Amino acid sequence: MQIDEENLQKSEIPLADCNPLLRTINLYPCTPGFDTSDRILYNAYLLYVHAGRGWFRIGETMYEAEPGDLYHCPTGVVQRIVADQEEPFLLTGVDFDWTRHHDGTTMPWATTPRHFEPERIPQPMYHPALEGFPERVRLAGDETVRDMLLTILEAYDRRARFWEVKAAGLLKAVLVMMLQAWHHRMVEKHPPGVNHRLGAVVRHLAAHHGAGVTCAGVAAQFHYHPDHLSRLMVQYAGMSLKHYLTGLRIREAITLLRYSDRTIADIAEQTGFSSPAHFSRVFRTETGHPPSALRRLPVLQETRANPEGSGMDDKE
């Protein structure tokens, strides 16, 4: 199975350039009904289910988790683990940075959505969503990833010479295998013609997701009923067409908020939201913070000599 090069190229951090930094890894037996409540991690996070059942929330999606499931939750996205009362989880959680650019940087491990501070996370660690990377793959019956994670755990616990290099190499292999498994599932799920058309939809949305773009309009352009296209997108990309389009808009808005001096109202219009209030509401839902939170980053304070007030920052 070859890695989907186009998918890799779409990722904000392509796996070809990934040099992961392991921060923590554990083997955690949950108690019956164990519940983390909603939380946000300051690092990227992998969760592997060794045994037991329950649920794992990533963003707006609550997954019913089973043995062999491997999940990826990006930095800054709300997550929650809930273990079953009768068959609680045995889990491995992995906190990591996609690159080693911030080796030596320490940050809080987790926080509540209300108290999450995105400005504390230096680039390239802050990625509300890694485009093209799956949230979940199901690996039941294949123990390769499980064994690799346990080997990483052993290296982490023993801290023998060169353990960090060994852990980073194995962790990168796990990420590659996760992407391979996801791509293989997509190829099996859809006939080649459907995969080609959905790939064309995704490429179109990457270039056209701003003002005037609607789910109904995209569906009509590619000769789908909107509801049918949305169902296909759930299978192809793991989320509905509306959620996928919203994610693209939020990612573009984050870039503009952090690295431009445009007003929040201008950014809302450019990224396709009906009003600044609508933009603020959706942004807070997706990230846990108002748009103004990203305006307080030092890089913006240095570059915005004469910022134009949008009237929204003070209200938020």
Side-chain angles (χ1 to χ4, degrees), residues 6-286:
E6 180 181 352
N7 202 7
L8 289 178
Q9 292 169 6
K10 289 193 301 180
S11 299
E12 293 183 39
I13 304 179
L15 287 183
D17 300 327
C18 172
N19 184 18
L21 170 64
L22 175 67
R23 294 190 178 272
T24 63
I25 182 171
N26 62 22
L27 183 63
Y28 189 80
C30 297
T31 56
F34 171 84
D35 188 343
T36 63
S37 299
D38 286 351
R39 64 182 188 179
I40 296 181
L41 271 61
Y42 283 88
N43 294 297
Y45 185 68
L46 291 179
L47 182 72
Y48 181 79
V49 183
H50 294 276
R53 300 182 183 279
W55 295 265
F56 184 43
R57 175 187 176 187
I58 303 177
E60 296 181 351
T61 304
M62 181 69 86
Y63 292 98
E64 186 172 355
E66 300 179 355
D69 284 1
L70 178 63
Y71 296 88
H72 167 257
C73 184
T75 300
V77 175
V78 176
Q79 61 168 264
R80 181 176 185 175
I81 300 171
V82 182
D84 186 76
Q85 287 283 356
E86 302 296 328
E87 298 180 65
F89 286 130
L90 175 63
L91 302 172
T92 284
V94 184
D95 282 60
F96 70 100
D97 181 3
W98 280 84
T99 75
R100 302 190 67 86
H101 291 168
H102 304 291
D103 193 356
T105 301
T106 59
M107 293 175 299
W109 179 70
T111 188
T112 62
R114 180 177 180 180
H115 295 102
F116 179 65
E117 300 175 350
E119 62 269 22
R120 298 186 67 164
I121 303 179
Q123 287 287 353
M125 291 175 62
Y126 183 71
H127 296 279
L130 281 158
E131 182 182 350
F133 201 84
E135 289 185 349
R136 178 183 71 176
V137 295
R138 317 206 83 164
L139 303 171
D142 184 350
E143 299 181 351
T144 306
V145 167
R146 183 204 67 177
D147 292 345
M148 294 173 74
L149 290 172
L150 292 177
T151 302
I152 296 172
L153 178 62
E154 180 184 12
Y156 178 79
D157 287 340
R158 292 183 59 194
R159 307 292 177 101
R161 190 177 184 186
F162 305 126
W163 77 270
E164 291 177 301
V165 177
K166 179 179 181 179
L170 288 170
L171 181 54
K172 182 171 182 177
V174 168
L175 294 168
V176 171
M177 293 179 69
M178 188 175 185
L179 185 56
Q180 284 181 313
W182 174 80
H183 177 60
H184 182 65
R185 181 176 65 87
M186 290 301 102
V187 170
E188 287 186 333
K189 189 177 290 288
H190 302 295
V194 175
N195 274 318
H196 177 76
R197 291 175 69 187
L198 291 175
V201 171
V202 168
R203 289 191 294 274
H204 173 80
L205 289 173
H208 307 284
H209 52 261
V213 176
T214 65
C215 293
V218 172
Q221 182 172 345
F222 288 89
H223 309 292
Y224 284 109
H225 187 279
D227 293 342
H228 182 53
L229 178 56
S230 189
R231 286 192 294 269
L232 289 176
M233 283 294 292
V234 169
Q235 296 175 355
Y236 184 84
M239 64 188 73
S240 68
L241 177 62
K242 180 180 179 180
H243 192 187
Y244 190 88
L245 179 59
T246 298
L248 291 173
R249 288 170 167 170
I250 291 296
R251 287 196 288 278
E252 181 180 354
I254 287 171
T255 299
L256 292 171
L257 286 165
R258 297 191 73 172
Y259 302 114
S260 81
D261 60 357
R262 301 192 63 174
T263 66
I264 291 178
D266 286 344
I267 291 172
E269 181 179 3
Q270 178 176 329
T271 53
F273 292 91
S274 58
S275 69
H278 179 225
F279 169 58
S280 182
R281 198 162 51 245
V282 174
F283 193 94
R284 189 188 291 269
T285 298
E286 294 292 319

